[in-house]
Each structure stands twice: as structure tokens, then as C-alpha cells.
Amino acid sequence: MHEEIKKTLDILNQGKLILYPTDTVWGIGCDATNEEAIKKIYQLKQRDDSKALICLVSDLRMLQKYVYEIPDAAYDIIDLATKPTTIIYDRPLNIAKNLIANDDTLAIRIASDEFCQKLIRQFKRPLVSTSANISGLPTPKSFSEISNEILKGVDYVVNLHREKKNGQPSSIIKIGNDATVKVIRK
């Protein structure tokens, strides 16, 4: 795993795209603070850039660097969640502008996968994490289902967990600073 982290960090530091296993599904990723790299993801996925992407952080401390205010309800959800849960926060900070939704929100998940946590911790910045498919097509349930278009469109494919079946995409919950909570995806 150490060697894969090293190779992946090199690619990320060059502003390039990775294909990597996450705590949910295989993801296309890049530096969440690099606008040019994020543009490449939108182009590869053939996705409208008005549709926001998720990003991953390694822990609560990193989360606090990228959100103006974390509502109390978010801490409870993070503590009580039994599966990977992405939370949409108001007023993100220190992140690429083209990653922020039109309503000034950002979807962030604290990664639970060991590889992702170590990678993000060493990278010291959040990673974009979007499913490894062309927009509108089904999310691949395993590495073998990822299209050639995606495989050829990234700069590096992490060589870990390729035989593993993916879990489900994360739950998505939107929490406003006004304490409103809305389930977007169960």
C-alpha cells in the first residue's frame, strides 16, 4: 500500500486524475483545490459542471479547514452513521471554486477506507471523489465494469482492491447552518 500511496501522490501533485478504490465505489479523483484538474473530471465524465461533485477528507480536523461552520447535527450524524455518509455543508472554504455548488454548498465525506485516509492525510488536501462512470450511465459495481473510456481518461489507476465488489454509493444528507436537515440519498 505504501508504494501505491507514493505513486498516487506523485500524480495528484502534478494536477492529474486518478482512478481509485474508496469506501463506497471506485472513484475518479483529483486535488479538490485544483480548478484545472476538476475541469478534467467534468470533461471525462461528460458531466455538466453545474452538478456538484463530492470530496473526501481524512478526518474531522481536515473537515474543519474546509467548512466555515460545521452544524452540531453534522457531528451527531458522523458519530452515528453505520455506512459511508456524505454531508452537504454551507459555505465551504479553501476549495476550488468549480467544486462549490451554485447554492454555496459542498458535499464532503470523511473517508473510512484505510488507503483513502492514508492518501489524503499524506496529500494534506481533500480529494474529489466521483463515481467511475460517464454521467448518466450506471455506476460500476466492480473494477471490471469500469469502461475503457474512463480507464484511458485518467492518468493513474491505483493497483489495489481490483477484485473487490463495491459497496453502495454513500448516503447524502444536506445540513444547513440554520439546522435544517434533508436526506438527499439514503
Side-chain angles (χ1 to χ4, degrees), residues 19 44 143 146-157:
L19 181 65
L44 176 59
F143 178 80
I146 298 171
S147 74
N148 281 335
E149 192 170 357
I150 295 293
L151 291 168
K152 290 176 183 173
V154 298
D155 299 292
Y156 184 70
V157 179

Side-chain angles (χ1 to χ4, degrees), residues 23-24 77-86 109-110 112 167-173 185-186:
D23 46 358
T24 57
I77 290 169
I78 291 166
D79 286 343
L80 300 172
T82 56
K83 69 178 231 174
T85 302
T86 300
R109 181 169 74 251
I110 297 174
S112 59
Q168 294 294 314
S170 68
S171 297
I172 300 178
I173 299 171
R185 179 171 68 200
K186 287 188 177 190

Side-chain angles (χ1 to χ4, degrees), residues 4 10 13 19 28 50 52 73 83 85 103 105 110 114 129 132 175 181 183:
E4 281 304 307
D10 184 48
N13 282 317
L19 181 65
I28 302 169
S50 67
K83 69 178 231 174
T85 302
D103 63 353
T105 61
I110 297 174
E114 180 186 12
S129 181
I175 302 177
V181 176
V183 175

Side-chain angles (χ1 to χ4, degrees), residues 71-73 90 174-182:
D72 290 340
D90 288 340
K174 185 173 185 174
I175 302 177
N177 287 342
D178 61 359
T180 56
V181 176
K182 181 179 179 185

Side-chain angles (χ1 to χ4, degrees), residues 59-148:
D59 52 39
L60 269 174
R61 193 173 58 210
M62 183 179 274
L63 174 66
Q64 291 165 342
K65 292 179 187 176
Y66 294 95
V67 178
Y68 177 74
E69 179 182 354
I70 300 172
D72 290 340
Y75 290 107
D76 293 337
I77 290 169
I78 291 166
D79 286 343
L80 300 172
T82 56
K83 69 178 231 174
T85 302
T86 300
I87 299 176
I88 300 172
Y89 297 93
D90 288 340
R91 297 176 65 193
L93 302 167
N94 309 314
I95 209 82
K97 298 215 181 321
N98 59 345
L99 194 56
I100 300 170
N102 292 337
D103 63 353
D104 196 26
T105 61
L106 179 63
I108 303 175
R109 181 169 74 251
I110 297 174
S112 59
D113 174 81
E114 180 186 12
F115 170 75
C116 289
Q117 283 183 335
K118 286 180 177 181
L119 176 65
I120 297 164
R121 205 168 279 131
Q122 288 183 40
F123 189 52
K124 296 181 175 61
R125 294 186 294 280
L127 291 183
V128 169
S129 181
T130 182
S131 57
N133 61 305
I134 301 298
S135 190
L137 295 178
T139 300
K141 295 193 179 2
S142 64
F143 178 80
S144 63
E145 292 181 15
I146 298 171
S147 74
N148 281 335

